[in-house]
Amino acid sequence: MPSHLSADRPAAQPPGGGSVDALISQTRRLKGDVDAVRRDAQDDGSDPQGRWQRALYDLALHQLNDLDEHLAQLREGPPAPAAIEPAPATPTAPTAPRRDSLLSRVGSAEWNLLTDEASWSGELYQILGRDQAAPPLTLDELPSLVLDDDRPKLTSMVTDCLVDAKPIDGEFRILRPDGAVRTVHMMGEPVLDADGSTASMWAVLRDVSELRRSQRVVSETRDSLQHHQHRAQTEHRLAVELQEAVLPPWRGSLRLPQRSPETLDLAAHYLPSSTSALIGGDWYDALELADGDMLLSVGDLTGHGVAVASGMATLLGAVRGMAMAGTQPGQLLSWLNQLLDATVQPALGSAICCRYRPETRTLAWAQAGHPAPLLFRDGTGRRLSAPDGVLLGATSGASYEQAEEPLEAGDLILLYTDGLVPGHDSMAAVNLLLDLAPRFDEARTAQDCARMVVEEFGETEREDDACVLIAKVTG
């Protein structure tokens, strides 16, 4: 038996013990720091990014625990083989509780090939779940503890060590008598006699079950995160394509075919959220109707993602269809509320629907919990008085009042969704927009005015999507 595993060798402080103590202290301080960060990173289990970070913290703690264990074993010396004693026939006085540390997860063994004797440390008995009163297993008996799938691996490692004097470094799974499956990491070397033949083999066996479990969790959560990111990218692409398919161009004039001198010069702009990669449910629309009137609408369906973009497209399609059929704004919003109330996934939304009559320069409009239009005339601006109307989807059978506003040549109507002016409440946002009145008065086109709005508020970081639609009365 090699002297470094001799049962009668007393544990001694190795040279440099003070340095080892210092390393142990540093390791334990680092463990405390990592554990504090881990506790601060608690998550509810629904977010893949949070689960991945938590698993990495757990893995880091396991590895620091392992380092602490190895440093402690270096300081204390190798564990002695267990003494084989018969079980006491009568109860004995209670002994001091055994220190429960990760040292119990590292054991040692030696197999003498000349005498066919084996020697195990007490920790190895614990790892393998064996009764310490039982004799240690020989190399031929050891595979009986190993799962069928892993036996060839163990046999190959032992054979290579005994025949070719190769070091052992590998893992296998064992089935303990209590039914628990554990993963064991085995490192060993052959011990050669004077003529170079293998006389014995010694090994250190380590229970790495928890470490491997943590690594599996890291791998699984990384895969889950990658799947989540791929799905999010796909959903974002679909939402963008759906939005682009149903909304007029985000930039550029929305000028409609002129059927009379009294028409509207139109421009619109969509401002995406700067804090979310998901597309929201904001929309704007301008449509020339069969009777020569013009439909103007803006709205916002709560939420983000493909489902919300799809819901927005459904509502916008309904608005266009009902407006083309001659439905007035108040009745249109009432029916739109019924449509939203009847959907499988309930949602809330706000909207403004306007119908402009070029012959009389009259704007008929209704709103559903939405900011009222702003009217700019001769260098000043004001907010129109809003008729009654609750949020879409808030209550069944809601009715929506309708108002009319006479317009003049040169007037400018601004429709927008919440979030256009980030960081301000609704009244402050209105006042900031009304402050643009002198600049609007100097602008020649609706597109110039839309550009001013974007320059003023478009670069500000916003938590939600927003859009603006500007209509300038010409003729």
Side-chain angles (χ1 to χ4, degrees):
M1 179 180 298
S3 61
H4 62 277
L5 285 178
S6 174
D8 58 0
R9 178 180 180 270
Q13 177 82 4
S19 299
V20 173
D21 287 336
L23 287 173
I24 290 174
S25 298
Q26 293 175 12
T27 300
R28 291 177 180 174
R29 283 197 300 270
L30 182 56
K31 282 183 354 185
D33 294 339
V34 173
D35 190 50
V37 175
R38 180 179 66 90
R39 288 195 300 269
D40 291 339
Q42 293 282 354
D43 69 281
D44 61 3
S46 62
D47 179 28
Q49 178 72 33
R51 292 197 301 272
W52 182 40
Q53 290 178 344
R54 180 63 184 233
L56 288 175
Y57 286 135
D58 288 342
L59 179 57
L61 282 174
H62 278 299
Q63 291 172 330
L64 287 171
N65 282 334
D66 291 338
L67 177 58
D68 185 15
E69 165 209 344
H70 293 152
L71 289 172
Q73 192 162 12
L74 177 62
R75 180 182 60 188
E76 298 172 8
I84 302 176
E85 299 178 356
T90 58
T92 59
T95 59
R98 187 180 187 277
R99 181 166 59 94
D100 184 14
S101 71
L102 290 178
L103 273 176
S104 62
R105 295 195 292 127
V106 180
S108 62
E110 183 174 2
W111 290 275
N112 191 312
L113 304 183
L114 303 180
T115 63
D116 200 27
E117 294 177 345
S119 175
W120 286 6
S121 70
E123 286 77 9
L124 183 55
Y125 275 96
Q126 293 182 355
I127 291 173
L128 302 181
R130 301 275 295 174
D131 184 355
Q132 294 195 18
L137 300 181
T138 65
L139 281 178
D140 291 334
E141 296 169 332
L142 186 62
S144 65
L145 302 179
V146 181
L147 297 186
D148 292 345
D149 291 345
D150 292 355
R151 285 178 186 170
K153 183 189 305 183
L154 174 61
T155 301
S156 177
M157 289 192 300
V158 171
T159 301
D160 289 344
C161 179
L162 299 181
V163 176
D164 298 327
K166 292 183 178 179
I168 290 178
D169 187 355
E171 295 180 7
F172 50 86
R173 293 166 298 166
I174 63 166
L175 179 63
R176 291 163 49 109
D178 59 7
V181 175
R182 309 296 292 177
T183 301
V184 175
H185 181 215
M186 184 175 183
M187 297 181 65
E189 293 181 354
V191 179
L192 306 181
D193 58 16
D195 61 3
S197 301
T198 302
S200 63
M201 187 187 85
W202 68 270
V204 173
L205 292 93
R206 175 185 175 205
D207 186 344
V208 294
S209 303
E210 295 305 317
L211 181 59
R212 296 298 171 255
R213 182 197 61 80
S214 296
Q215 290 174 332
R216 286 195 301 271
V217 171
V218 169
S219 177
E220 290 169 0
T221 51
R222 182 185 293 111
D223 292 344
S224 175
L225 177 62
Q226 291 174 345
H227 174 73
H228 177 79
Q229 291 174 334
H230 176 72
R231 183 176 65 184
Q233 291 170 353
T234 301
E235 289 186 353
H236 180 264
R237 185 180 67 253
L238 291 175
V240 169
E241 292 175 353
L242 180 59
Q243 188 184 61
E244 292 178 342
V246 298
L247 293 185
W250 290 5
R251 292 179 172 81
S253 174
L254 300 179
R255 185 184 299 274
L256 299 174
Q258 297 185 16
R259 293 197 173 191
S260 66
E262 298 81 13
T263 187
L264 294 178
D265 176 24
L266 299 169
H269 197 92
Y270 185 96
L271 296 98
S273 166
S274 57
T275 61
S276 174
L278 298 177
I279 293 295
D282 293 62
W283 85 80
Y284 62 83
D285 196 26
L287 180 67
E288 187 171 14
L289 304 176
D291 59 2
D293 288 358
M294 295 182 183
L295 169 72
L296 305 176
S297 71
V298 295
D300 179 12
L301 192 62
T302 57
H304 294 82
V306 173
V308 172
S310 176
M312 176 271 291
T314 299
L315 291 183
L316 186 53
V319 168
R320 291 171 174 172
M322 288 186 285
M324 191 63 74
T327 306
Q328 294 301 307
Q331 183 62 62
L332 189 153
L333 289 181
S334 180
W335 287 346
L336 203 63
N337 179 67
Q338 293 183 30
L339 174 63
L340 194 59
D341 186 55
T343 57
V344 176
Q345 294 181 338
L348 291 174
S350 67
I352 280 186
C353 183
C354 305
R355 194 178 183 104
Y356 177 68
R357 302 186 189 97
E359 292 82 359
T360 60
R361 289 178 178 160
T362 302
L363 185 75
W365 68 285
Q367 64 84 27
H370 200 90
L374 304 183
L375 171 61
F376 296 85
R377 178 182 294 167
D378 298 331
T380 62
R382 64 182 175 90
R383 184 174 61 172
L384 299 185
S385 298
D388 290 339
V390 299
L391 285 170
L392 298 173
T395 181
S396 301
S399 60
Y400 296 83
E401 294 184 357
Q402 182 170 306
E404 289 194 359
E405 185 72 28
L407 301 180
E408 300 176 3
D411 282 355
L412 186 143
I413 293 292
L414 188 151
L415 308 179
Y416 64 100
T417 61
D418 282 333
L420 177 63
V421 185
H424 295 80
D425 59 31
S426 58
M427 283 305 303
V430 168
N431 292 332
L432 288 172
L433 289 169
L434 292 178
D435 288 343
L436 296 175
R439 296 172 61 186
F440 284 168
D441 191 51
E442 297 175 356
R444 294 187 304 105
T445 66
Q447 182 61 32
D448 291 337
C449 296
R451 188 178 297 110
M452 293 176 187
V453 173
V454 174
E455 290 174 353
E456 190 71 25
F457 307 111
E459 298 302 322
T460 305
E461 185 170 304
R462 64 188 68 253
E463 296 182 357
D464 201 2
D465 304 59
C467 59
V468 59
L469 172 62
I470 294 178
K472 185 177 179 65
V473 179
T474 62

